[in-house]
Every structure is written in C-alpha cells, then in structure tokens.
Amino acid sequence: MHIMLNAPRLAVAVASALCLTACSDEVVSTAPPLQMMSLASSSPAFDRVAFPSTSLSSSFACTVSGGDAVNPLSLASGLGQTIIVSEPQVADAIDMNTQNENGPQAGRYLYRASEGSISEVSVTDLQNLGPNSTKRFAFRADWESLDPVVWTPWGTLLTAEEANVASKPDPDFPGAVGGLVYELIPTKADPSVLERIVARPAIGAKAHEGMRFDKQGNLYSISERNPGYIYRFTPDRKGDLSSGQLYVLKITAPTGDRTGEAEWIPLDRNAVKIDASAAADAVGATGYNRPEDVEIATSSGDFDDPNTLFVAVTGQSGPADNRIIAIDLDGGPGKHEGDKKLSSTAFVYDYVRIGLNTTSEFEMPDNVALDPSGNLFITEDPGGSFGGGKRKGDDIWVARRSSLRERAAPRGG
C-alpha cells in the first residue's frame, strides 16, 4: 500500500519484553514468563518524536557457563528455536546475515559474513536443510573482518571489511587506508553459486558495518569508530556501484545531543577511496560513538514511511551514545516521491535512549531489523563471557509500532 508523504505517521511504543537472550557464548537455563508491553500511543508522529515505554527492571541473568549447543537462547513460553548452521560448518565469528530478497528463488538462501580469523561469506539452502546445506560462497585471502552483508535491489550481494586501518590491503587498491566494499555477483541460474567478485572503492574506504538501500538505489552506511559517521552513496547510474557521490551527515540546526536538522555533505570522490573517515573529519561531519547497524523500511516491506533510517550507536562513554537514532530522510525542501531525487536535508532524532524511553538495562545496541509490520528489533552486544564475570544476558528488544486502529484513535500516554 502506497502512503502519501503528507499522510499522518504512525505512533509507536517500545516493547518492554526481553523475549530472547543469550549470554555471549553462554545461555540462561530457565526463562521468566513473557512480560506484557506498553502500547500507549501518545506520540503524534512516526518520525521526530520519541515514544513512551515500560521497560523491564533487569536483564535476563546468565547462570550457565559454557552455553547450550542445542538451545543457545532463553525464550519465553510458547517459543521454539532451531539451529540451522554453526561453527565449524562456517568460519569463526559470523556476523550479519541476509537472504536473496528478489529473483525467482527469493528467500531460499541465507548468506552470512565472518569477521574472525578467516573472512568469508557462506550460504545456506533453507529449503534443503541438512549436513550439506551450507557451503562457502565467497573468499579472498586479502579479506579481513568481513561484517556487513546485504542483498542489492538488482540481485547481487554486498559485503565489506570492518577495518579503520586495513592490515591486508587490496592489491588492486593498495592506497586504501580502511576496509572496502565488495560486490558478489552470483550466477543467474543459481544464486548460491558465485560468478565473480568486484571491489567498489567509490563507496568509501572505512570500517564498514550496516548497509541498506532505499527505493531510489542510494546506499546508506556507517564508519564504526569514534567519531564515526553516517553516509549516503548515490550511484552515477542506478544499479551501478562503480562510481557515484558519497555524502556524510552533518547536523546544521541542533535540537539536542547531535540531533536536529541536518544536511548531506558531498565528499571528495578521490579522497573517500583512500580514507572516507578522514574525508568526513575534514568537512566537520557530525560524529557518533561507534555507529554500527542501519535499517530502513524498504528492506522488509513497503509500509507507512519507507524514508526513515534507523541507526544503532553502541558507544557507552566518551561520548555516551548507547542509543538508536532515527533519520527522517525527507527532512527539508526537495522532498521526493517515486524516483525523484532525495532531499539534501534530513532530520535526526532519538528513537530509543536511556532516560528518554528505556532504562539502563538497554546496553550497547548493535544490530537492528524491521519486520514486515514495522516493529524494530534491537540486539545488544556488550561483549564479555561468563568466565570473565559476565552475568547479564545479551538481550533482544523490540520497538513495537502501533496498530492501524491505534493510529485512527490515538490514546493518551
């Protein structure tokens, strides 16, 4: 369903239930009952306004050392879990994953990047699960710390290196200081078979993590450092990542802690191929403490406002971010409809933050994902292990979008 740009935005509320949790490589032996969540919708808009919530008073407690290889997550009653792949079927330290989101076999294959001692992309056939359902999809000896993986609108796969200073330079681009983005092109007959790998340095050399496309084919990404930045890459030709303009976000009319009206500042095209973070430093871009994953509605369904970008910011101190920010991409003059050019401005606001609509139990949000209904799932990654004294779980939170009925008849908070 198409929603006009001036239609009322949906109100949302954060879910207070910590439905799933893991203790790094340990698990909880028993799960407390699922707690109900507040759906108060006093917020008048989907964008630019934080929303009320009722949060749990404490995290799930880690009580088991070593973990459970069969049931690694602690779940609420009525939920189940199945492991479809694990080490050593794939290389160590797997990170993000995605599916083939379009094409004749859409959704059949699950891809993941590994950022450990061996950097590879592996793939699992979800229709034929078994001992041979997972295999290596792509590998290069000069890859390091692969973190993001995202399916493109034209049926290829992107992965990238999370490296501020690359220790294994690409032999074709030895001058690149940071990590690079690579486009993995599968065969037309079988998306689980790789045809070729192509480097895409125009997107920027930096410590890459989250990456997402909007409907116009622009690619949003971050640099995971402190200060780290939020970027938009606009290809010169839609669907061709070999050349284009990289922009960085800069707050121009602040309304709070690095929130408010912002602009997308163009960066020097040659400089970003060497060090996109240094190029952003040079133009005074707005920095955040370790931005990580990004998410946009076009990746999981065309609902309400597909032009809000969510960014998980992990850093806890120096400065204290530890929050989810949202960016209204239609932030000013030049708003677009259809395939028209995006606005050159944006509006940044806090979406989930301690003291605003959640408690101190919300720790180091890392990955975010929208479901088809517009609920934002947020996973924590505070690190640590049971042997090192870790007793809090790595929880999964959900910022639940209000129903259409609530939108029609909003209640007081």
Side-chain angles (χ1 to χ4, degrees):
M1 178 177 66
H2 177 69
I3 305 295
M4 299 300 293
L5 291 177
N6 60 355
R9 306 283 174 83
L10 295 186
V12 288
V14 71
S16 60
L18 306 185
C19 300
L20 306 93
T21 189
C23 302
S24 187
D25 57 340
E26 288 79 38
V27 299
V28 183
S29 57
T30 59
L34 180 66
Q35 305 238 350
M36 297 303 294
M37 60 197 72
S38 168
L39 289 177
S41 55
S42 61
S43 167
F46 181 77
D47 65 341
R48 303 194 179 195
V49 182
F51 47 88
S53 70
T54 303
S55 299
L56 293 183
S57 59
S58 62
S59 170
F60 280 60
C62 297
T63 59
V64 178
S65 178
D68 186 332
V70 177
N71 297 295
L73 298 175
S74 178
L75 301 175
S77 176
L79 298 178
Q81 57 187 297
T82 301
I83 296 176
I84 60 173
V85 63
S86 64
E87 300 173 17
Q89 290 175 279
V90 294
D92 61 311
I94 57 177
D95 207 284
M96 294 192 182
N97 59 77
T98 194
Q99 291 174 268
N100 54 320
E101 297 174 357
N102 50 41
Q105 301 183 71
R108 175 173 178 174
Y109 296 102
L110 180 68
Y111 307 83
R112 70 199 61 80
S114 296
E115 61 173 333
S117 59
I118 298 175
S119 292
E120 68 172 21
V121 175
S122 55
V123 60
T124 298
D125 185 347
L126 299 176
Q127 290 186 9
N128 297 292
L129 292 175
N132 299 316
S133 61
T134 298
K135 63 182 180 180
R136 174 180 281 179
F137 179 72
F139 170 79
R140 280 180 44 156
D142 61 296
W143 277 351
E144 58 182 302
S145 300
L146 292 186
D147 194 313
V149 62
V150 62
W151 191 257
T152 72
W154 50 90
T156 64
L157 200 68
L158 296 185
T159 191
E161 299 168 308
E162 185 192 338
N164 283 303
V165 178
S167 60
K168 299 179 181 179
D170 186 310
D172 295 322
F173 303 97
V177 172
L180 295 177
V181 176
Y182 293 86
E183 186 168 11
L184 315 181
I185 303 173
T187 62
K188 292 183 179 180
D190 187 347
S192 72
V193 176
L194 179 69
E195 180 180 291
R196 66 185 187 277
I197 302 171
V198 183
R200 299 302 190 195
I203 300 173
K206 52 192 175 72
H208 296 272
E209 188 153 333
M211 297 190 295
R212 282 295 187 185
F213 288 93
D214 64 21
K215 282 194 169 184
Q216 289 72 39
N218 300 283
L219 178 65
Y220 297 88
S221 66
I222 57 87
S223 55
E224 191 190 342
R225 68 199 279 264
N226 185 22
Y229 302 111
I230 300 166
Y231 299 83
R232 182 174 81 193
F233 178 74
T234 300
D236 290 332
R237 295 169 297 279
K238 188 175 181 179
D240 181 356
L241 302 177
S242 62
S243 65
Q245 180 62 57
L246 187 67
Y247 300 84
V248 69
L249 193 70
K250 181 177 182 177
I251 300 292
T252 55
T255 58
D257 182 7
R258 288 157 293 151
T259 61
E261 297 286 348
E263 293 183 4
W264 293 102
I265 308 299
L267 299 175
D268 182 271
R269 292 193 178 203
N270 291 321
V272 301
K273 296 178 182 180
I274 304 300
D275 191 338
S277 292
D281 289 339
V283 299
T286 298
Y288 299 89
N289 189 351
R290 291 182 59 211
E292 301 216 27
D293 199 10
V294 301
E295 178 65 300
I296 192 169
T298 50
S299 65
S300 54
D302 182 12
F303 59 84
D304 198 49
D305 181 9
N307 295 314
T308 296
L309 181 74
F310 300 94
V311 183
V313 189
T314 299
Q316 289 187 299
S317 61
D321 278 327
N322 201 57
R323 55 177 160 164
I324 306 295
I325 59 173
I327 303 170
D328 180 357
L329 301 175
D330 294 324
K335 290 185 178 183
H336 71 280
E337 293 183 33
D339 290 331
K340 294 180 181 179
K341 187 178 181 181
L342 277 175
S343 171
S344 62
T345 63
F347 189 90
V348 181
Y349 58 100
D350 283 321
Y351 195 69
V352 180
R353 187 169 186 170
I354 295 170
L356 178 69
N357 52 11
T358 191
T359 70
S360 60
E361 296 299 323
F362 187 76
E363 291 188 299
M364 303 185 75
D366 191 306
N367 294 109
V368 288
L370 283 165
D371 70 13
S373 298
N375 304 310
L376 186 70
F377 287 76
I378 306 162
T379 62
E380 298 175 342
D381 185 15
S385 65
F386 191 89
K390 178 182 175 66
R391 294 298 181 268
K392 282 187 176 182
D394 297 354
D395 301 315
I396 298 176
W397 299 69
V398 57
R400 184 175 294 281
R401 172 189 167 193
S402 65
S403 68
L404 291 176
R405 178 180 60 81
E406 288 173 323
R407 174 185 173 188
R411 298 172 295 173

